[in-house]
Amino acid sequence: MRNGFPQRIGYAVLALVTACGTLAGAAPATASPAPPSLEFANPDSQALFGSAYAAALQNLLHTNTIGYDARYDRSGLLDPATGIVRAGGGYAQPWTRDASINSWNATSLLDPALAENTLWAVVDKDAGGALRVQQDDQQWDQVVWVTSAWHHYLVTGDREFLQNAYRTATTTLTIREHATTAGFNATYGLFTGASFFNDGIAGYPAPPADATESVSTGSMPWPGVASGMYLSTNELYYAAYVNAANMAGKLGRPAAETAGYRDKAAALRAAINQRFWNPATGRYDYQLLADGSRGAFQEGTGLAFALIFGVANPAQARSIVDHARELPWGMPDTFPNWARYSDAQPGRHNAIVWPLVLGLWAKALAGQGEQNAFAAETARLAKLAGNNSGFWEIHNGTTGVVDGGWQRLGDTVKFHWGSEPDQTWSATAFLDMVHTGLFGLTFTDRGLSFAPHLPAGWGDVTLRHLRYRGANLTIALHGAGAAIRSFQVDGRAAPAAIPDTLTGDHTIDITLTGAPAGDRDGDGVADAQDRCADTAGAAALSGCPDPAHLEAEDARNTGGVKTNVNHTGYSGRAFLDGLWAQGASSSFTVHRTTTAPERAAFTVRYANANADSRTMTLSVDGQPVRQVAFPKVSDSWDAWDTTTFADIPLTGRDPVVTLSYAPGDTGAINLDWLEYRR
């Protein structure tokens, strides 16, 4: 699980034998198909979104793809020549919910064989040989597998997979319906057990928690959680019933069997709307305790699922979009802060930002046609990845800093969790923003349709080498908006869809119109005319940063550089650390008002508490200019000083200045800001 100790400790041995993303001694995975590429005509969009897309592909298809391991082949359905996708840094195994979400978000499309193996890696058999989603200590979120499996079929058309998936779905749903823990409460017509992925008590108000979290750091040991009913979990059961009915219908099962699942879905949807909808807030509530008490709290995934799965009717959906509360860096897990937490010390599963949730909320917003809101959420996640050398598990919702959140352990004081790097479902959340949101890919059992959302100011964009069944697609979006003005396949007008029988190489050109007018970044320049509508700035969204003062935390960072707040005296929302090993770098785009060549000066505020002066390499547009020095400031990392580098050559309107720890450098400094002077 993502929080409590037992399962993390139980897999410690597995983590120790994992090296370089491949399990020692395991059969190597077969070569994956070459991944697609994302290319924006706008250089700022490319730097922000294109770079994040490339990093997300690397995360999924390389960093977190591991070799086949027989320990995960309890279903007997894995292909030994194909790998599986692990949950991410700190989580070496393919967790049930992670495997499901990652396949649903991206893996089924990008590498169907890898996705299939990953889905079967979390399935086992009962004593009679019946397939079931593995029965572990987090039973409440197993049913998300059913939705992922149906999606996998829609992407691939693999009927053999569908047959086994249906067997798995029916067995798993039957187990859950009759379970005494995390089962069905007939009084309320709802399923009990913890909310989706909130396996820590920090994700729950009091009650069912108490002020000291004295029972357990995990959620299910708390009687009020185990017997309580939560929005997201019941929505996932609803989707599972709908998709079990879809599977049954596609496989030609008896009509009564299909109808049975549809009836259960309808009854559960009605119960959700009766028990969770709150007219006073215009949203669904988060929890319903066994005694009937409710709380008007917000759950990010619960609101997203209500829109994605169609639990909400159109009026409710409009109300949710209008009344949902977000933090500066996006949709929080749960909201607001419980009384035992605060903005300064947010709970691990409370008013804090998980990229997983940002991705689901963006999917929901795109489905509602909320173009500007979708653009904002996508920009936030791209920035969180770009500012922090990749995709982390959790971020502070106010500052965007990598932050694992707080929790208690019995009667002790609160302790601070770490946030793990290289999280797969954080990366696939962004991939889904691109595929489902930006390009509007919608999979059916007849083919692939398109409903793109290209925000104003992003510029034209092309997705190359996207493989869909037997076709190799290049998809280009032109203009801005969500209304399709023209749709062409290989230069010929066509409906906004392709059949599942299409094979070979094809180019799809989509011209869009109808982008809503606005100024998402609040810089006084309309999105359509803004050359950097969503580039990094001092706030979660702002326009072209003033080159006279560039906060270091807004740079594009790689090689382990990330935001931090564990020292004092910095300006802005954070500073940068992690410039501690070769390959680490921080890049600043200097948005000049001229394209003329010039020699400029750059002043950098930094901290250096090492015993001696440290060096970095300064480059412009990828070309090294010279090695620069950062003299020692003091013995404290809370002390800051400035140094100026003169006579730096610049060309073009938006040159990129990079400070990197290159061979021959000594690095190991912290950065606060950079200023440009002509």
Side-chain angles (χ1 to χ4, degrees), residues 189-248:
L190 297 167
F191 283 88
T192 64
S195 67
F196 171 67
F197 99 89
N198 283 341
D199 53 10
I201 194 58
Y204 301 85
D210 59 35
T212 63
E213 300 180 352
S214 59
V215 174
S216 169
T217 59
S219 58
M220 285 297 283
W222 290 77
V225 175
S227 63
M229 290 145 282
Y230 292 88
L231 177 62
S232 57
T233 294
N234 279 278
E235 291 166 329
L236 286 171
Y237 273 98
Y238 166 75
Y241 281 136
V242 169
N243 291 320
N246 290 336
M247 292 178 180

Side-chain angles (χ1 to χ4, degrees), residues 40 42 350 353 455 515 585 658:
F40 285 86
N42 182 325
N350 190 200
V353 166
S585 70
T658 301

Side-chain angles (χ1 to χ4, degrees), residues 101 104-105 196 300-301 304-305 308 355-365 429 432-433:
I101 289 291
W104 181 23
N105 276 348
F196 171 67
T301 54
F305 288 152
I308 294 168
L356 158 72
V357 181
L358 302 192
L360 291 170
W361 184 236
K363 185 198 292 278
L365 291 170
D432 186 65
M433 288 173 164

Side-chain angles (χ1 to χ4, degrees), residues 7 10-11 13-15 17-18 23 26 66-78 83-87 91-95 117-124 134:
Q7 195 165 358
Y11 284 95
V13 174
L14 178 60
V17 299
T18 303
L23 289 171
I66 62 177
Y68 167 86
D69 190 294
R71 287 173 291 181
Y72 298 129
D73 198 4
R74 295 181 295 273
S75 66
L77 294 171
L78 269 69
I84 56 176
V85 176
R86 66 173 187 166
Y91 307 103
Q93 69 276 17
W95 302 56
N117 246 30
T118 302
L119 289 170
W120 291 133
V122 295
V123 170
D124 59 23
Q134 65 185 11

Side-chain angles (χ1 to χ4, degrees), residues 33-282:
S37 63
L38 187 67
E39 302 170 9
F40 285 86
N42 182 325
D44 282 291
S45 295
Q46 184 62 29
L48 181 62
F49 302 111
S51 296
Y53 186 81
L57 290 174
Q58 178 70 22
N59 177 300
L60 171 63
L61 300 176
H62 296 281
T63 304
N64 288 316
T65 293
I66 62 177
Y68 167 86
D69 190 294
R71 287 173 291 181
Y72 298 129
D73 198 4
R74 295 181 295 273
S75 66
L77 294 171
L78 269 69
D79 177 0
T82 301
I84 56 176
V85 176
R86 66 173 187 166
Y91 307 103
Q93 69 276 17
W95 302 56
T96 300
R97 58 194 169 190
D98 297 66
S100 304
I101 289 291
N102 289 327
S103 297
W104 181 23
N105 276 348
T107 320
S108 291
L109 173 62
L110 297 175
D111 193 332
L114 180 65
E116 181 174 343
N117 246 30
T118 302
L119 289 170
W120 291 133
V122 295
V123 170
D124 59 23
K125 293 181 178 179
D126 65 17
L131 294 171
R132 60 185 187 177
V133 179
Q134 65 185 11
Q135 300 294 292
D136 54 26
D137 62 351
Q138 297 184 70
Q139 308 96 323
W140 70 90
D141 68 359
Q142 291 167 347
V143 292
V144 66
W145 189 95
V146 181
T147 293
S148 181
W150 173 246
H151 175 76
H152 185 81
Y153 167 73
L154 293 180
V155 174
T156 64
D158 187 337
R159 287 186 65 87
E160 181 180 354
F161 170 85
L162 184 64
Q163 290 171 341
N164 285 323
Y166 183 63
R167 292 169 54 202
T168 305
T170 56
T171 303
T172 301
L173 287 170
T174 299
I175 291 171
R176 298 270 45 86
E177 289 167 350
H178 295 90
T180 56
T181 300
F184 187 70
N185 183 326
T187 300
Y188 294 102
L190 297 167
F191 283 88
T192 64
S195 67
F196 171 67
F197 99 89
N198 283 341
D199 53 10
I201 194 58
Y204 301 85
D210 59 35
T212 63
E213 300 180 352
S214 59
V215 174
S216 169
T217 59
S219 58
M220 285 297 283
W222 290 77
V225 175
S227 63
M229 290 145 282
Y230 292 88
L231 177 62
S232 57
T233 294
N234 279 278
E235 291 166 329
L236 286 171
Y237 273 98
Y238 166 75
Y241 281 136
V242 169
N243 291 320
N246 290 336
M247 292 178 180
K250 180 54 61 177
L251 292 170
R253 303 291 300 177
E257 198 169 314
T258 302
Y261 284 121
R262 297 209 183 279
D263 289 346
K264 289 179 179 180
L268 188 52
R269 181 177 183 268
I272 292 170
N273 278 293
Q274 177 187 357
R275 304 293 185 179
F276 287 102
W277 181 253
N278 188 334
T281 64

Side-chain angles (χ1 to χ4, degrees), residues 529-593:
Q529 287 78 46
D530 200 337
R531 48 194 277 241
C532 41
D534 293 303
T535 54
L541 291 173
S542 66
C544 300
D546 182 357
H549 185 87
L550 300 170
E551 286 290 339
E553 63 269 22
D554 295 322
R556 179 172 178 263
N557 301 301
T558 58
V561 182
K562 64 178 179 62
T563 55
N564 211 334
V565 293
N566 65 343
H567 295 294
T568 62
Y570 59 87
S571 70
R573 60 185 174 87
F575 65 90
L576 291 183
D577 72 6
L579 287 159
W580 299 84
Q582 284 191 15
S585 70
S586 296
S587 296
F588 302 82
T589 300
V590 182
H591 294 288
R592 302 193 300 157
T593 58

